[in-house]
Amino acid sequence: MGALAPPFIGDSWLASPVYINPNPNPNPNRNSLRALSFASPLFARCSPASASNSNSASWASGERWAWARERRRGGGAFDEIVDGEVFKYYAEGEWRKSNSGKSVSIINPTTRKVQYKVQACTQEEVNKVMEAAKAAQKAWARTPLWKRAELLHKAAAILKEHRAPIAECLVKEIAKPAKDAVSEVVRSGDLVSYTAEEGVRVLGEGKLLLSDSFPGNERNKYCLASKIPLGVVLAIPPFNYPVNLAVSKIAPALIAGNALVLKPPTQGAVAALHMIHCFHLAGFPKGLISCVTGKGSEIGDFLTMHPGVNCISFTGGDTGIAISKKAGMIPLQMELGGKDACIVLEDADLDLVAANIVKGGFSYSGQRCTAVKVVLVMESVADALVEKVNAKLAKLKVGPPEEDSDITPVVTESSANFIEGLVTDAKEKGATFCQEYKREGNLIWPLLLDHVRPDMRIAWEEPFGPVLPVIRISSVEEGIHHCNASNFGLQGCVFTRDINKAIMIADAMETGTVQINSAPARGPDHFPFQGLKDSGIGSQGITNSINMMTKVKSTVINLPAPSYTMG
Ligand SMILES: NC(=O)C1=CN([C@@H]2O[C@H](COP(=O)(O)OP(=O)(O)OC[C@H]3O[C@@H](n4cnc5c(N)ncnc54)[C@H](OP(=O)(O)O)[C@@H]3O)[C@@H](O)[C@H]2O)C=CC1
Ligand SMILES: O=C(O)[C@H](O)COP(=O)(O)O
């Protein structure tokens, strides 16, 4: 392995490349991949030169200068979160190095080189964080609601102020297109502010129940029910929204009076650490918020089975199913995978459908749980729809995230290999390729697969990449049947001009949300967001998350004799 230069240490960083690799052929896997691809007639691959600048030396140096500019915009605010070449973890209000002496590397999906390193925290460090969280939570629960809200508003403002350096991390760690990366941070600030306001409303109210409304009772008991915190909330977000899906757990937990321990995804951890620093700068009490880093496969079980955890809010893949079996008797909020179906009827506005399929299926290269993941279109309009979608796909810009390309490299090489496996299976089983399959490293060109049949893996599995299957159906019932036969049930959508039909189809689809005449989406962030079946447990969205991170406490006033208030 080559020597790592500090990711950004003042001016000295400017002089050194992000990664100094003495090996002229640093990525042996890349050659083996290429050998594999050229061996197969299916795959026409681009040479490195033809791949939209993705690896060129000039781009690499331009990239470093842009990075340095962003760094300066951060104004040194983030200096204390990094030590040498490794980012610190956050515990008891401080940025610390792990005693493990080990780090975890974060690979830039575009360059496929080490971009950052984070601490590999130990079990002992997790124990300490949990103890501190428990102690801090007691005091926090006694902090007036308006003060909690005030701090959250402050954190939101700091987060938005530092959107540029945080967005830059998202670009480098998860290859999120530059504009989308900024949007993620701004959206996160808005989410935190909205949560503060909503929390004041939702948690500022309780319920009064009078006993004489239940048969056989007089009015001698008054029940006062209010919402109280759970204790320590463990938040585990996925790589695709490491900031937004972290704050969507952090803000509701905090406003409700809980302490919060964050385990960020490895890809996206540095963006998450920057975001946590914004909460630190806002002045939250020591120990209330912590962020422990390390591979989920190594510290995940220790965290999720820790006796100090009173609630887990998780977003990710099948890992969530395993967590739910091990977690014990604590509330769980799980948002897992999806195979979001798009049902297209004969009377649909095909231009609208095509625009939504391209945006819904291919934005962030299909790496969204709410991406359109299978199109179920009536045979009579299928040719016309496929033609319109293909015309739009041809206009997408494919390349590095720094250039704000529409299609950027997928998050890891193993993810790209998985996607390729689905494509190979579809090819072998006779799907029609509307475009040539192309791949350069982790970068996969957008691909529409027509005439997909249920015996193909892509009909059921989520690629989490820019590959979309089209299944032609001869009846609406066939489309609903395919949607409901999936083990997932996150979102779905239906396109028709007939609102009565749309509502009946929406009712019949076994998914947490159905969008009528638009692609699936989680936002706006205060809308309820939930998955049925293997897609999740519970519901998110700001109000639902606040409620989920509380429990109800009742105090009953027992009068010696019935008492009725007079008008
Ligand atoms: N429904 C939804 O809202 C969303 C669903 N997804 C789904 O997530 C998948 C892709 O995201 P991805 O991040 O790869 O998902 P993963 O399930 O692999 O990882 C999600 C998070 O869990 C952590 N983790 C891994 N192993 C464990 C463990 N044993 N215990 C506790 N935590 C663990 C990961 O950390 P580390 O990175 O260190 O491994 C990461 O922070 C897709 O299947 C997609 O459908 C993604 C986004 C949203
Ligand atoms: O994690 C995901 O993929 C999301 O929760 C989807 O959010 P979006 O619909 O806003 O992209």
Side-chain angles (χ1 to χ4, degrees), residues 124 126-136 306:
E124 190 46 42
V126 169
N127 285 337
K128 278 201 177 147
V129 151
M130 293 297 174
E131 272 167 36
K134 195 172 176 183
H306 199 285

Side-chain angles (χ1 to χ4, degrees), residues 263-282:
K263 199 318 259 175
T266 295
Q267 298 290 140
V270 173
L273 290 169
H274 280 69
M275 173 272 295
I276 286 291
H277 193 54
C278 296
F279 283 78
H280 169 79
L281 294 173

Side-chain angles (χ1 to χ4, degrees), residues 29-319:
N29 285 339
R30 183 177 171 143
N31 280 346
S32 55
L33 265 173
R34 182 159 295 139
L36 174 81
S37 62
F38 284 131
S40 157
L42 163 64
F43 305 124
R45 287 185 195 255
C46 282
S47 66
S50 67
S52 240
N53 296 338
S54 58
N55 267 335
S56 74
S58 63
W59 172 67
S61 83
E63 171 200 39
R64 286 200 298 276
W65 281 105
W67 178 248
R69 270 200 308 278
E70 293 307 328
R71 175 74 188 128
R72 281 196 292 276
R73 263 182 238 168
F78 297 99
D79 286 351
E80 66 179 297
I81 78 171
V82 66
D83 176 69
E85 63 181 33
V86 188
F87 280 84
K88 298 181 197 166
Y89 76 103
Y90 186 65
E92 296 176 77
E94 288 173 7
W95 290 97
R96 293 182 176 164
K97 283 163 72 173
S98 169
N99 290 329
S100 71
K102 292 185 189 153
S103 63
V104 177
S105 296
I106 296 167
I107 309 295
N108 180 321
T110 311
T111 63
R112 295 190 291 156
K113 292 176 181 169
V114 175
Q115 181 74 43
Y116 306 119
K117 288 183 177 186
V118 292
Q119 309 288 330
C121 290
T122 64
Q123 294 189 351
E124 190 46 42
E125 283 154 356
V126 169
N127 285 337
K128 278 201 177 147
V129 151
M130 293 297 174
E131 272 167 36
K134 195 172 176 183
Q137 191 269 329
K138 301 279 177 233
W140 182 243
R142 289 193 295 270
T143 303
L145 189 50
W146 67 265
K147 276 196 183 170
R148 291 184 222 155
E150 204 172 70
L151 276 174
L152 282 169
H153 281 301
K154 204 169 162 194
I158 297 171
L159 193 59
K160 282 168 132 180
E161 182 193 338
H162 294 299
R163 60 184 172 275
I166 301 174
E168 191 65 17
C169 298
L170 294 171
V171 169
K172 303 294 176 201
E173 286 182 286
I174 60 164
K176 186 160 274 199
K179 266 191 208 147
D180 294 351
V182 173
S183 305
E184 173 169 350
V185 184
V186 173
R187 172 182 178 180
S188 300
D190 291 339
L191 189 154
V192 174
S193 290
Y194 190 102
T195 307
E197 285 171 23
E198 184 70 349
V200 168
R201 284 190 287 269
V202 170
L203 300 163
E205 284 181 355
K207 208 170 181 183
L208 167 67
L209 289 129
L210 302 168
S211 52
D212 65 322
S213 51
F214 197 86
N217 282 269
E218 298 277 14
R219 188 177 293 195
N220 61 336
K221 290 173 187 284
Y222 294 179
C223 174
L224 303 173
S226 61
K227 290 181 180 131
I228 59 164
L230 296 173
V232 178
V233 175
L234 172 65
I236 308 183
F239 80 85
N240 63 346
Y241 282 98
V243 174
N244 186 263
L245 282 171
V247 299
S248 73
K249 303 169 191 314
I250 295 171
L254 294 179
I255 194 69
N258 299 291
L260 189 286
V261 176
L262 175 70
K263 199 318 259 175
T266 295
Q267 298 290 140
V270 173
L273 290 169
H274 280 69
M275 173 272 295
I276 286 291
H277 193 54
C278 296
F279 283 78
H280 169 79
L281 294 173
F284 281 87
K286 283 186 191 343
L288 186 71
I289 304 170
S290 356
C291 184
V292 287
T293 50
K295 281 191 184 157
S297 54
E298 285 167 16
I299 55 163
D301 282 355
F302 190 74
L303 277 162
T304 53
M305 294 195 282
H306 199 285
V309 170
N310 305 111
C311 167
I312 301 174
S313 178
F314 175 92
T315 307
D318 286 352
T319 317

Side-chain angles (χ1 to χ4, degrees), residues 477-520:
E477 289 70 26
E478 196 184 330
I480 294 170
H481 180 265
H482 185 95
C483 167
N484 292 349
S486 170
N487 58 320
F488 293 120
L490 190 62
Q491 290 212 359
C493 59
V494 53
F495 286 85
T496 171
R497 288 185 166 97
D498 184 335
I499 188 66
N500 296 332
K501 269 191 195 164
I503 288 176
M504 290 174 85
I505 293 168
D507 285 347
M509 289 170 80
E510 293 167 4
T511 59
T513 303
V514 178
Q515 306 268 350
I516 295 174
N517 292 325
S518 187

Side-chain angles (χ1 to χ4, degrees), residues 424-439:
T424 307
D425 176 78
K427 180 77 180 177
E428 283 166 5
K429 292 176 182 160
T432 304
F433 278 48
C434 299
Q435 294 78 22
E436 196 175 29
Y437 174 72
K438 285 194 208 170
R439 173 178 167 187

